[in-house]
């Protein structure tokens, strides 16, 4: 089993180091190869997703990804910005199905900004379509640019588009995931305004015919954003497009106590996957040793489950995370009175020991 390890920028290197540490404790027959991605790759090779990194990722069973981005690259032409690396990996590998589970661990109920009774026992699954929508719409650009470059442009546009097959395949993923859970899917769109959303809703209803055991309902995205903080436990599987899924998954992460707890899996039709925390590179806290590595460690568990067929090992990691939380260990983002504040490395060490 071959794993491409792409730490990236900012806290990416720190959290991935802890995830690799945990993975090594399992002593599985794994081959790991590390490569540069994002701003780090731009510095070294002049491109955020060098050919060699993409090749390595495509030739691996799974990719363990940290995070990319830094404000210092904001002035670069868009194709050279760090974020293009993750978008390029998703598109080139066909990673259309993004799983972002939001589970509130009992020990962290107090760490959320919401009332404990709202989130205690929370276990929802956001399924985000990842290779379509306004992220990849054509054409895109700034109209009336001075010299073909953006400064000074008077108008800009991006195109939101979805095709029927793109919606169908993510619908199947959502209904099949729901069959293994409470058999309910909420499809989130903005069909009162957008044609892409009307198509999305129509196709969801069509595909639902093939899953008579699953109940489908629909919610407008603005209402969904409100319901997520009003009554989050009313959701089970939430399926939505790329842009809405980006926003709602950040929102949902706070239901779990911290965005530092939310893992993710991005899968293609062949079962290859990219695993990354849902959070970003957090340049403001990079290098301080205070980032929470648990989202990345939990992403490793998802990798073992979805791409490497190692369910038992995945469960062991999840149990180890529970155990360190039980022991009262907390990075700053999930710290509350009466618990023990630990660093990124100490948290990784603790999970390794618990394993
Ligand atoms: C995410 C991130 C990315 C996205 C960025 C880094 C391009 O926010 O994975 O949620 O928007 O998809
Ligand atoms: Mg995001």
């Amino acid at each position: 089993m071959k794993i491409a390890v792409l730490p990236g920028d900012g806290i990416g290197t720190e959290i991935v180091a802890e995830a690799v540490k945990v993975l090594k404790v399992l002593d599985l027959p794994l081959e790991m190869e590390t490569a540069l991605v994002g701003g780090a790759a731009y510095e070294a090779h002049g491109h955020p997703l060098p050919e060699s990194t993409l090749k390595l990722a495509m030739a691996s069973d799974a990719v363990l990804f940290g995070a990319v981005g830094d404000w210092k690259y904001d002035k670069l032409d868009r194709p050279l910005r760090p974020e293009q690396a993750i978008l390029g990996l998703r598109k080139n590998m066909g990673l259309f199905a993004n799983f972002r589970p939001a589970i509130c661990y009992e020990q962290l109920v107090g760490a959320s900004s919401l009332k404990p009774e709202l989130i205690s026992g929370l276990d929802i699954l956001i399924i985000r379509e990842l290779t379509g929508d306004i992220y990849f719409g054509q054409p895109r650009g700034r109209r009336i640019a001075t010299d073909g470059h953006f400064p000074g442009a008077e108008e800009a546009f991006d195109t939101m588009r979805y095709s029927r097959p793109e919606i169908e395949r993510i619908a199947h993923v959502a209904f099949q995931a729901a069959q293994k859970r409470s058999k309910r899917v909420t499809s989130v769109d903005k069909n009162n305004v957008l044609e892409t959303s009307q198509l999305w809703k129509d196709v969801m209803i069509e595909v639902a015919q093939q899953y008579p055991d699953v109940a489908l309902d629909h919610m407008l995205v603005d209402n969904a954003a409100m319901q997520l903080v009003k009554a989050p436990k009313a959701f089970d599987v939430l399926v939505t497009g790329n842009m809405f899924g980006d926003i709602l998954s950040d929102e949902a992460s706070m239901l779990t106590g911290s965005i530092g707890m939310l893992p993710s899996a991005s899968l293609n039709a062949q079962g290859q996957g990219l695993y990354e925390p849902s959070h970003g590179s957090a340049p403001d806290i990079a290098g301080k040793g205070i980032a929470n590595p648990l989202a990345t460690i939990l992403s490793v568990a998802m990798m073992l489950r979805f791409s490497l067929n190692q369910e038992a090992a995945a469960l062991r990691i999840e149990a180890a995370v529970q155990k360190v939380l039980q022991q009262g260990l907390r990075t700053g983002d999930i710290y509350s009175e009466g618990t023990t504040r630990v660093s990124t490395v100490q948290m990784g060490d603790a999970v390794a020991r618990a394993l």
Side-chain angles (χ1 to χ4, degrees), residues 68 83 86-87 90 100 128 130 135 242 246 249-250 276 278:
V68 288
E83 290 77 8
I86 184 65
L87 299 181
R90 289 171 182 169
R100 297 192 165 183
R128 170 187 175 196
L130 207 55
Y135 273 64
N242 205 344
D246 179 46
S249 60
D250 262 37
E276 57 172 328
S278 288

Side-chain angles (χ1 to χ4, degrees), residues 227-309:
Q227 297 297 339
L228 264 178
V229 286
K230 183 179 173 216
K233 284 188 270 186
F235 291 95
D236 191 62
V237 174
L238 187 164
V239 64
T240 189
N242 205 344
M243 180 87 258
F244 301 153
D246 179 46
I247 299 165
L248 293 181
S249 60
D250 262 37
E251 187 187 2
S253 72
M254 275 317 293
L255 307 171
T256 71
S258 165
I259 195 165
M261 294 299 299
L262 201 70
S264 84
S266 307
L267 306 179
N268 67 15
Q270 295 80 44
Q272 252 182 330
L274 181 147
Y275 300 84
E276 57 172 328
S278 288
H279 61 72
S281 55
D284 52 330
I285 60 162
K288 296 189 178 158
I290 58 171
N292 185 347
L294 293 180
T296 317
I297 290 170
L298 290 167
S299 300
V300 166
M302 293 186 90
M303 174 171 87
L304 291 162
R305 175 170 296 129
F306 289 131
S307 288
L308 305 178
N309 203 17

Side-chain angles (χ1 to χ4, degrees), residues 88-128:
L89 282 164
R90 289 171 182 169
K91 196 67 177 176
N92 281 291
M93 296 178 73
L95 304 166
F96 71 95
N98 185 213
F99 288 73
R100 297 192 165 183
I103 295 171
C104 182
Y105 291 93
E106 219 39 49
Q107 303 87 349
L108 295 186
V109 162
S112 171
S113 47
L114 278 92
K115 291 193 192 113
E117 61 269 27
L118 276 185
I119 51 159
S120 171
L122 178 92
D123 178 359
I124 62 182
L125 174 60
I126 295 186
I127 297 182
R128 170 187 175 196

Side-chain angles (χ1 to χ4, degrees), residues 55-71:
K55 259 204 177 130
L56 170 69
M58 309 251 291
S60 303
D61 298 300
V63 178
L64 178 59
F65 191 92
V68 288
D70 194 305
W71 301 303

Side-chain angles (χ1 to χ4, degrees), residues 17-40:
E18 299 315 307
V20 167
K21 183 189 285 174
V22 167
L23 196 49
K24 283 188 174 155
V25 176
L26 290 170
D27 208 20
L28 294 166
L30 301 172
E31 192 192 316
M32 292 191 235
E33 195 176 330
T34 303
L36 294 175
V37 76

Side-chain angles (χ1 to χ4, degrees), residues 160-180:
M160 186 175 264
R161 69 163 286 287
Y162 261 120
S163 68
R164 176 174 284 274
E166 283 174 321
I167 303 168
E168 280 171 358
R169 63 183 183 175
I170 196 72
H172 284 289
V173 167
F175 289 121
Q176 284 165 22
Q179 282 181 323
K180 297 185 197 133

